[in-house]
Amino acid sequence: MNELVAKADLVALDAQAVRASVEVAAQVRPTDLSRPTPCLGWTVYGLLAHMATQHYGFAAASGGDGDLARWKLRSLGDDPVASYRVAAEHVMAAFAVDGVLERMFPLPEVRSGSVFPGTQAISFHFIDYVVHSWDLAKALGTEVVFPPDLLDVALAVAEAVPGGKAREEPGAAFAPPRTSSGGSRLDEIVAILGRSPSWPESSRRSTI
């Protein structure tokens, strides 16, 4: 593991990323739920449902529960934003437990159910929510801002994500890297993980 990542307070950084996603999600209006997102094939509703489901899956894994059923896509009910907020609070509470970094996390969606040390598993969750916060903000035509220290760690995690043919397989967590030049540190991170930093301006929400 990268030295910067190893020394980072991953639980605190992950909570920052998750809170940022909650703040962006709070801007979602009912008419936004069908909007496209940078995640191919996912609407805003689909992205929120995926994000909420992943929160519950990682929270279960933090307690040693590797049942694949915990990762089954969840409905967000009549209030998707409130449901997402509850899911976010759930995973933050699970990760705040003493000794969570020393636990082993069974992650049935990753590498055929491999078990990962807590530090590595939470780094997976952390980078997901840096990127998904960006995804959601892009879909809504707004921005998400992270502090430089968080982005430094996120960049190190992103650079450690395996590349190659695995990125081209169906269901891959991230698409092949894209070229990014002259953008922000966040642009660099999302490009490494297969997003286009210049995702279509035409998707932006009307201010009318």
Side-chain angles (χ1 to χ4, degrees):
M1 178 175 287
N2 177 282
E3 184 177 358
L4 177 62
V5 178
K7 290 181 177 180
D9 185 343
L10 283 173
V11 171
L13 292 175
D14 181 81
Q16 281 184 268
V18 173
R19 289 192 192 101
S21 74
V22 171
E23 291 174 3
V24 178
Q27 301 175 49
V28 173
R29 303 184 304 224
T31 52
D32 293 323
L33 294 172
S34 61
R35 285 182 165 274
T37 73
C39 299
L40 184 63
W42 285 356
T43 60
V44 166
Y45 180 90
L47 177 58
L48 284 173
H50 167 77
M51 292 163 68
T53 299
Q54 293 284 304
H55 286 325
Y56 286 112
F58 271 92
S62 74
D65 184 348
D67 187 346
L68 187 59
R70 307 297 183 203
W71 302 79
K72 183 179 179 181
L73 191 65
R74 291 173 175 251
S75 168
L76 297 178
D78 295 333
D79 191 339
V81 173
S83 295
Y84 179 71
R85 184 172 60 250
V86 169
E89 291 170 351
H90 180 74
V91 77
M92 287 191 288
F95 285 1
V97 173
D98 287 345
V100 71
L101 293 174
E102 286 71 52
R103 294 180 179 185
M104 299 300 292
F105 284 52
L107 298 178
E109 286 199 330
V110 181
R111 298 180 196 168
S112 302
S114 296
V115 178
F116 295 87
T119 298
Q120 188 173 14
I122 291 178
S123 78
F124 295 163
H125 188 265
F126 164 64
I127 195 62
D128 274 354
Y129 287 86
V130 171
V131 175
H132 283 327
S133 295
W134 179 90
D135 289 330
L136 188 56
K138 275 287 189 179
L140 298 177
T142 187
E143 294 184 357
V144 61
V145 178
F146 293 109
D149 61 326
L150 182 149
L151 292 175
D152 287 343
V153 176
L155 178 61
V157 174
E159 289 176 335
V161 174
K165 291 291 185 181
R167 295 273 196 104
E168 300 175 9
E169 294 177 359
F174 299 108
R178 291 173 176 259
T179 301
S180 175
S181 60
S184 68
R185 177 60 59 89
L186 184 53
D187 285 345
E188 183 179 0
I189 291 165
V190 301
I192 289 171
L193 298 176
R195 269 67 166 175
S196 171
S198 58
W199 192 72
E201 293 288 330
S202 61
S203 69
R204 289 185 177 274
R205 178 169 60 192
S206 171
T207 57
I208 295 174

